[in-house]
Amino acid sequence: MKEFWLGKLDWSALPHEWFTIAGSVGITLMLLSLAAFITYKKSWTWLWKDWLTTVDPKKIGIMYFIVGGLMLARGGLDAIMLWAHQALAGSGEGYLTAQHYQEIFTAHGNIMVFFVAMALIFGFVNYIVPLQIGARDLASPFMNTLGFWLYVAGVIMINMFFFFGGEYAATGWLAVAPLSGTEFSPGVGMDYWIWSLQISGIGTTLGGINFIMTILKMRAPGMSLMKMPPFTWGSLCSMMMVVSVFPLLTMTIILLFFDRYFGTHFFTTSGGGNPMMYTNLIWMWGHPEVYIIMLPSFGIFTEVVSTFSRKPVAFYKSNVIAMIGVSTISLCVWLHHFFTMGADANVNSAFGVATMLIAIPTSALVISWIATMYKGRISFKTPMLWLLGFVVIFGVGGITGVLLAIPPVDFQLHNSLFLIAHFHSNAVGGVLFGIFAGLSYWAPKMLGFRLNERIGRYAVWSWIVGFFVAFTPLYVLGLMGATRRLDTYDASTGWQPFFVMSFIGGLIIALGVVLQVVQIIASIMQRKQLADTTGDPWNARTLEWSMPSPPQEYNFTAIPEVTTRDVFWKMKEDNAQPLPYEDIHMPKRTATGIYISAFAFLAGFGFVWEIVWLVVVSIVGIIVVFVMKGFDEHAEYTISASKVSQMEATRAKKIEEAKQYARDDHEDMGLIEFMRTAPGWLFGLVRNKS
């Protein structure tokens, strides 16, 4: 009877090692503190109605940023733990066990790719794309909120081992076969990996479909594809890749689940399967995934360089074709991840050539940015500094990538730390720096005030310096023969000084993260002085800057007519007058996405612990909620033109009041001033005086 109700779950599953106990206690205290603060502020109703059940893509985008930021801290802590262990391992065994080290290694990769990069990119696409194309909402608001809450369910699942299970997968972030089979990974850690990725991956696929339909069918009148802003183009290419390869990931994980749960042998040689089939399938998703998260960043950089160079994008069509080329070629290079598998020379050569070819459209993008800056009136604000850091770091990653595209070279460097350094040059420089540039660039639009420039510059340079100090030694170690996932090494190798230097670089990067948090807090403290009262603080060119900051729920009071590529720039030149107000139809808030995602999480939890009744009940619950949603005939409401007029008048009054505090010549707060004033501000916030 116990097995029927609890499956494999028993008392031994509770946290019993120092790191799981610390994690479970830390998470519990954080959640209790948050709940106590919300209760003290009497904000539960506001939180539920205005945020958790919202279908406004702008608010959903902000929630993606919040959860993705928390997971960035979680994944960054894992990285610091890995660096610290490697720095100590040359003098002994380090401070982690081999098993624990491999679990952290796996979790770090999963978290940073699936639950940080994807979340932050989806946050931008949610918030910015509808504004850029002149849309009020997404094609399916319900599908959008469902995708977000499935992502949250995946986030909870990947952290559940702190409370139940006491372990995570130790198989590498892609769970290579046959290591991911029950023979070598009999615990539930691998099952947490499967269901956290499966649930969040389904949400990503739904989001990709939704964004494609929004971009293709909901653009403002007159906005042809070749009049779309670069970020929207990067998002479209990225989402096209999502719907192409994420179903492949879903099916691959299902086959792996069958091997573990039902004893099939798709990926095990003992039953006639083939582990290399898993490697092919996972990398057919895995390499395009790198560009799924990179292409929107390319779009961000294009927007930033155009705005801060005071020029339209140079070679716009070439820029667009380059993004299409990157997304296309990236689907054809997956085998370069395992040139050592034993394929013949013709196969290796074909994929090596394809890997080199992808450098051509990527270089075309860089040339477009340089040409845009040429003879421009460049303003080196924080977003531009992130761009310059990207060019240097990504350039190093691109050069080493072409080197690894040569099969004989890859035979020597395969699975070495050289490869780790190359990947992080692309992922950090090409993805995270793009995300940080976008946050600095669009912060006035999202928050209503710009971010602190002084502290932001400290953060930029900490990241750039820290990156080179952390990852340059890994290139050297890779050439010296140090392999990835290395948890111990002999002191006679002479590797320890390089690992120590890498750890110091990691600490400098951590300082950069702390400074980014300080930057945001300092900006909130000075939000009145830093307020964006014009809606266009950068003198930008695209449509999202035509509205006050932050925009109303309905985005536009009236959908604009697009006649040119830089439509907002044209509107400013022509001194265009506001369009008359009109009735606006908007979707109602709904909690259906939360309910479905909760059942999906319970189904995954049931599969992890083999609680069959919980799986059945959860699947039935998902079906019932979907059916009930299908019968909801009152999913929209109307805001009358007169109500719109009142709301706009109220907002205009608030903007006029804010202008008395906002000052263009205001000096941003420095670190010393922040440390002196932050405690009092925090106390005032708790006491309801801020």
Side-chain angles (χ1 to χ4, degrees), residues 268-296:
T268 52
T269 54
S270 59
N274 187 350
M276 284 312 304
M277 182 171 72
Y278 177 85
T279 305
N280 273 278
L281 290 173
I282 202 70
W283 277 115
M284 287 171 70
W285 162 83
H287 193 85
E289 166 66 8
V290 175
Y291 290 95
I292 285 172
I293 56 181
M294 197 174 291
L295 279 164

Side-chain angles (χ1 to χ4, degrees), residues 167-341:
E167 64 175 12
Y168 189 64
T171 55
W173 77 283
L174 287 181
V176 293
L179 187 58
S180 54
T182 54
E183 181 180 358
F184 300 103
S185 299
V188 297
M190 189 60 225
D191 300 302
Y192 281 128
W193 182 95
I194 288 175
W195 290 104
S196 62
L197 268 61
Q198 191 71 288
I199 294 170
S200 64
I202 293 173
T204 300
T205 305
L206 294 176
I209 296 170
N210 199 10
F211 291 127
I212 291 171
M213 295 308 300
T214 300
I215 295 171
L216 294 182
K217 304 298 293 185
M218 298 183 66
R219 301 190 306 276
M223 181 177 282
S224 64
L225 289 176
M226 281 301 167
K227 291 178 183 175
M228 291 197 313
F231 176 70
T232 300
W233 261 113
S235 301
L236 178 61
C237 292
S238 175
M239 296 303 112
M240 287 288 191
M241 295 173 68
V242 164
V243 300
S244 298
V245 301
F246 263 83
L248 178 63
L249 173 68
T250 298
M251 291 310 301
T252 303
I253 293 177
I254 287 176
L255 295 179
L256 181 59
F257 165 68
F258 282 178
D259 275 7
R260 292 182 57 84
Y261 202 84
F262 297 111
T264 58
H265 295 280
F266 291 105
F267 306 129
T268 52
T269 54
S270 59
N274 187 350
M276 284 312 304
M277 182 171 72
Y278 177 85
T279 305
N280 273 278
L281 290 173
I282 202 70
W283 277 115
M284 287 171 70
W285 162 83
H287 193 85
E289 166 66 8
V290 175
Y291 290 95
I292 285 172
I293 56 181
M294 197 174 291
L295 279 164
S297 288
F298 288 165
I300 291 172
F301 286 133
T302 306
E303 302 277 2
V304 166
V305 75
S306 174
T307 297
F308 292 102
S309 298
R310 301 292 184 265
K311 287 177 60 181
V313 178
F315 310 126
Y316 170 87
K317 291 184 179 179
S318 298
N319 190 290
V320 170
I321 293 171
M323 285 194 278
I324 296 173
V326 168
S327 61
T328 302
I329 299 174
S330 69
L331 298 171
C332 308
V333 299
W334 77 87
L335 194 135
H336 71 208
H337 289 275
F338 43 99
F339 279 141
T340 56
M341 67 176 274

Side-chain angles (χ1 to χ4, degrees), residues 25-44:
V25 171
I27 294 173
T28 301
L29 290 176
M30 183 178 68
L31 293 176
L32 289 176
S33 300
L34 180 61
F37 180 76
I38 296 173
T39 302
Y40 174 74
K41 303 288 282 189
K42 300 179 181 179
S43 298
W44 285 109

Side-chain angles (χ1 to χ4, degrees), residues 275-572:
M276 284 312 304
M277 182 171 72
Y278 177 85
T279 305
N280 273 278
L281 290 173
I282 202 70
W283 277 115
M284 287 171 70
W285 162 83
H287 193 85
E289 166 66 8
V290 175
Y291 290 95
I292 285 172
I293 56 181
M294 197 174 291
L295 279 164
S297 288
F298 288 165
I300 291 172
F301 286 133
T302 306
E303 302 277 2
V304 166
V305 75
S306 174
T307 297
F308 292 102
S309 298
R310 301 292 184 265
K311 287 177 60 181
V313 178
F315 310 126
Y316 170 87
K317 291 184 179 179
S318 298
N319 190 290
V320 170
I321 293 171
M323 285 194 278
I324 296 173
V326 168
S327 61
T328 302
I329 299 174
S330 69
L331 298 171
C332 308
V333 299
W334 77 87
L335 194 135
H336 71 208
H337 289 275
F338 43 99
F339 279 141
T340 56
M341 67 176 274
D344 63 37
N346 291 329
V347 173
N348 285 345
S349 298
F351 281 86
V353 170
T355 304
M356 296 179 190
L357 286 176
I358 204 170
I360 297 175
T362 308
S363 300
L365 287 166
V366 177
I367 292 171
S368 171
W369 300 330
I370 294 173
T372 303
M373 288 187 283
Y374 179 65
K375 292 187 176 180
R377 291 174 293 143
I378 302 175
S379 175
F380 287 101
K381 297 292 186 180
T382 306
M384 278 294 286
L385 296 181
W386 287 115
L387 168 67
L388 298 179
F390 152 79
V391 170
V392 177
I393 293 175
F394 188 79
V396 173
I399 293 170
T400 54
V402 172
L403 184 65
L404 289 169
I406 305 171
V409 174
D410 189 78
F411 265 75
Q412 296 299 317
L413 298 176
H414 183 70
N415 268 346
S416 72
L417 289 180
F418 188 95
L419 178 63
I420 296 295
H422 155 72
F423 173 77
H424 282 81
S425 295
N426 292 330
V428 174
V431 180
L432 275 183
F433 276 29
I435 290 169
F436 296 153
L439 286 172
S440 298
Y441 179 58
W442 280 307
K445 184 58 56 183
M446 298 177 183
L447 304 175
F449 55 87
R450 65 174 177 82
L451 295 183
N452 183 295
E453 280 285 320
R454 291 179 64 183
I455 301 176
R457 291 173 184 270
Y458 301 152
V460 172
W461 289 112
S462 295
W463 267 94
I464 294 174
V465 172
F467 181 87
F468 281 109
V469 175
F471 289 97
T472 301
L474 299 191
Y475 281 116
V476 178
L477 285 166
L479 293 172
M480 295 173 69
T483 60
R484 66 196 303 185
R485 300 177 61 188
L486 186 69
D487 61 86
T488 187
Y489 54 92
D490 194 273
S492 63
T493 59
W495 294 347
Q496 189 170 25
F498 295 98
F499 280 117
V500 171
M501 183 182 296
S502 183
F503 174 56
I504 294 172
L507 294 178
I508 298 174
I509 292 175
L511 174 63
V513 175
V514 172
L515 287 171
Q516 286 176 293
V517 176
V518 170
Q519 178 195 21
I520 294 172
I521 298 174
S523 303
I524 295 173
M525 292 170 62
Q526 291 187 303
R527 61 190 179 278
K528 291 183 178 180
Q529 294 89 337
L530 303 177
D532 172 22
T533 59
T534 66
D536 181 27
W538 311 126
N539 193 20
R541 316 180 75 87
T542 45
L543 206 52
E544 72 270 26
W545 300 104
S546 66
M547 291 165 290
S549 303
Q552 295 275 29
E553 181 182 3
Y554 45 75
N555 292 349
F556 299 90
T557 55
I559 301 299
E561 181 80 25
V562 176
T563 59
T564 186
R565 185 175 300 145
D566 292 331
V567 55
F568 182 47
W569 192 267
K570 179 68 173 173
M571 291 165 63
K572 289 188 287 188

Side-chain angles (χ1 to χ4, degrees), residues 544-677:
E544 72 270 26
W545 300 104
S546 66
M547 291 165 290
S549 303
Q552 295 275 29
E553 181 182 3
Y554 45 75
N555 292 349
F556 299 90
T557 55
I559 301 299
E561 181 80 25
V562 176
T563 59
T564 186
R565 185 175 300 145
D566 292 331
V567 55
F568 182 47
W569 192 267
K570 179 68 173 173
M571 291 165 63
K572 289 188 287 188
E573 286 184 338
D574 296 344
N575 195 23
Q577 298 302 308
L579 297 172
Y581 299 144
E582 57 188 27
D583 291 348
I584 299 174
H585 302 283
M586 295 296 295
K588 290 183 178 180
R589 62 184 180 86
T590 177
T592 306
I594 299 177
Y595 301 146
I596 292 175
S597 299
F599 279 124
F601 169 80
L602 292 174
F605 188 82
F607 276 122
V608 168
W609 291 102
E610 298 182 11
I611 307 174
V612 178
W613 69 266
L614 182 60
V615 173
V616 174
V617 169
S618 300
I619 293 175
V620 171
I622 292 173
I623 296 172
V624 170
V625 175
F626 259 120
V627 171
M628 292 176 63
K629 177 63 178 176
F631 282 96
D632 184 5
E633 298 180 356
H634 305 285
E636 292 186 348
Y637 69 99
T638 300
I639 306 175
S640 65
S642 60
K643 179 65 174 176
V644 173
S645 178
Q646 294 175 11
M647 295 172 69
E648 290 299 313
T650 302
R651 179 160 65 174
K653 183 179 179 181
K654 291 181 178 179
I655 291 175
E656 286 300 318
E657 293 173 352
K659 286 182 179 179
Q660 63 179 310
Y661 299 102
R663 293 175 53 191
D664 292 335
D665 61 347
H666 174 78
E667 184 176 1
D668 292 0
M669 180 185 298
L671 283 174
I672 294 177
E673 183 182 356
F674 171 81
M675 289 186 288
R676 186 174 63 249
T677 58

